[in-house]
């Protein structure tokens, strides 16, 4: 079955690191994604990782993939107030994306 | 302007009425998608289309109808709106099916009274 799960809420202080976690079920997913949704806007692709990779780093973002445990995480270093948003994990299933429920990240200044 | 647009951005309607949400993209992307976003559910796929005149059901298609007579347009119709269809609706498009290519519109907030 298709099920992507995320914790619903994370609160961090400005300058700290944020870690958003996700578990997925489809071991055949070739790509896994992180999308960001700012208030009142649509989703924007933040980063993605190919399933044969363990880690991907892109400036302040680090994605870790543990295929054995089907666990994906997004680390945001030096979190800023502009990072406050909803973050969605997603896996590709056939020709469709399956999204988690989203994690609300609140950054306190 | 180039990109993907949705109209209207906000809509209030009554139970039983027919409502059509519009989606237009200027990239000539092959694939287009309709999602609904509800608290606690994330985004759920309603319908998608691989090309003009080709559509397929997603996870939650009941109560919705789509058409794709032109590549750039993908309207979503609620034939007889129900309160449970109150949601935020997002349209997306992509060249292929890989998620890294999927671009989202700004959304339509629909309220059914």
């Amino acid at each position: 079955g298709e099920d992507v799960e995320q914790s619903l809420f994370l609160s961090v202080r400005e300058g700290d690191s944020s870690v958003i976690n996700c578990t997925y079920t489809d071991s055949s997913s070739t790509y896994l994604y992180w999308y960001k949704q700012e208030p009142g806007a649509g989703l924007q692709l933040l980063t993605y990782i190919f399933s044969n990779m363990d880690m991907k780093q892109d400036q302040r973002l680090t994605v870790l993939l543990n295929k054995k445990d089907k666990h994906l995480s997004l680390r945001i270093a030096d979190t800023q107030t502009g990072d406050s948003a909803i973050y969605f994990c997603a896996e590709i299933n056939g020709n469709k994306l399956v999204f988690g429920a989203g994690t609300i990240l609140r950054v306190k200044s | 302007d180039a990109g993907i647009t949705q109209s209207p951005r906000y809509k209030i309607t009554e139970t039983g009425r027919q409502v059509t949400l519009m989606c237009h993209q200027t990239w000539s992307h092959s694939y287009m998608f309709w999602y609904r976003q509800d608290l606690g559910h994330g985004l759920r796929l309603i319908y998608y289309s691989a090309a003009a005149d080709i559509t397929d059901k997603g996870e939650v298609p009941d109560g919705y109808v789509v058409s794709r007579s032109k590549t750039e347009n993908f309207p979503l119709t609620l034939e007889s709106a129900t309160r449970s269809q109150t949601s935020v609706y997002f349209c997306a498009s992509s060249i292929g099916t890989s998620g890294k290519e999927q671009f989202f519109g700004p959304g339509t907030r629909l309220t059914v009274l």
Side-chain angles (χ1 to χ4, degrees), chain B residues 39-40 48 65 82:
Chain B
L39 192 64
Y48 66 102
V65 174
T82 64

Side-chain angles (χ1 to χ4, degrees), chain B:
Chain B
D1 287 346
I4 182 164
T5 56
Q6 294 183 235
S7 62
R9 293 294 314 277
Y10 303 91
K11 177 75 177 177
I12 300 174
T13 191
E14 294 177 336
T15 302
R17 290 192 181 264
Q18 182 179 82
V19 177
T20 296
L21 309 184
M22 304 301 293
C23 179
H24 176 78
Q25 52 103 356
T26 60
W27 295 302
S28 299
H29 283 170
S30 300
Y31 281 81
M32 296 187 76
F33 307 84
W34 273 108
Y35 297 90
R36 59 177 290 172
Q37 183 179 22
D38 304 288
L39 192 64
H41 290 281
L43 271 77
R44 292 181 290 176
L45 183 65
I46 304 170
Y47 269 97
Y48 66 102
S49 169
D53 297 321
I54 300 174
T55 62
D56 209 345
K57 295 178 180 179
E59 182 185 352
V60 289
D62 293 343
Y64 302 95
V65 174
V66 293
S67 62
R68 188 126 180 249
S69 57
K70 292 184 178 181
T71 301
E72 60 266 30
N73 296 323
F74 190 38
L76 175 74
T77 298
L78 288 67
E79 292 188 301
S80 178
T82 64
R83 290 200 179 98
S84 65
Q85 293 177 309
T86 292
S87 187
V88 181
Y89 291 85
F90 288 99
C91 178
S93 72
S94 70
I95 298 170
T97 55
S98 172
K100 67 184 173 75
E101 302 168 321
Q102 209 165 115
F103 297 90
F104 283 78
T108 295
R109 182 175 292 274
L110 176 68
T111 301
V112 183
L113 301 177

Side-chain angles (χ1 to χ4, degrees), chain A:
Chain A
E2 309 166 3
D3 202 5
V4 178
E5 295 189 353
Q6 303 177 234
S7 52
L8 290 183
F9 186 76
L10 177 65
S11 179
V12 300
R13 292 192 181 279
E14 191 174 16
D16 288 350
S17 291
S18 307
V19 179
I20 303 171
N21 294 302
C22 169
T23 58
Y24 62 96
T25 56
D26 189 349
S27 58
S28 65
S29 290
T30 52
Y31 288 96
L32 293 141
Y33 309 90
W34 285 104
Y35 279 82
K36 177 183 181 182
Q37 183 182 30
E38 295 185 355
L43 276 69
Q44 285 185 302
L45 180 65
L46 200 57
T47 188
Y48 65 94
I49 188 167
F50 189 52
S51 60
N52 68 353
M53 298 169 67
D54 297 323
M55 185 181 85
K56 179 180 179 181
Q57 187 147 6
D58 183 2
Q59 299 182 339
R60 292 190 297 120
L61 305 178
T62 303
V63 179
L64 295 177
L65 175 60
N66 180 330
K67 283 191 295 183
K68 175 176 170 288
D69 295 337
K70 296 183 188 147
H71 183 266
L72 184 73
S73 68
L74 174 70
R75 179 177 180 270
I76 305 172
D78 187 25
T79 311
Q80 303 298 306
T81 54
D83 294 324
S84 291
I86 305 176
Y87 291 82
F88 292 92
C89 169
E91 63 176 352
I92 196 88
N93 181 279
N95 54 5
K96 301 184 288 287
L97 279 177
V98 178
F99 289 88
T103 298
I104 299 170
L105 175 63
R106 177 185 165 207
V107 182
K108 295 179 285 187
S109 56

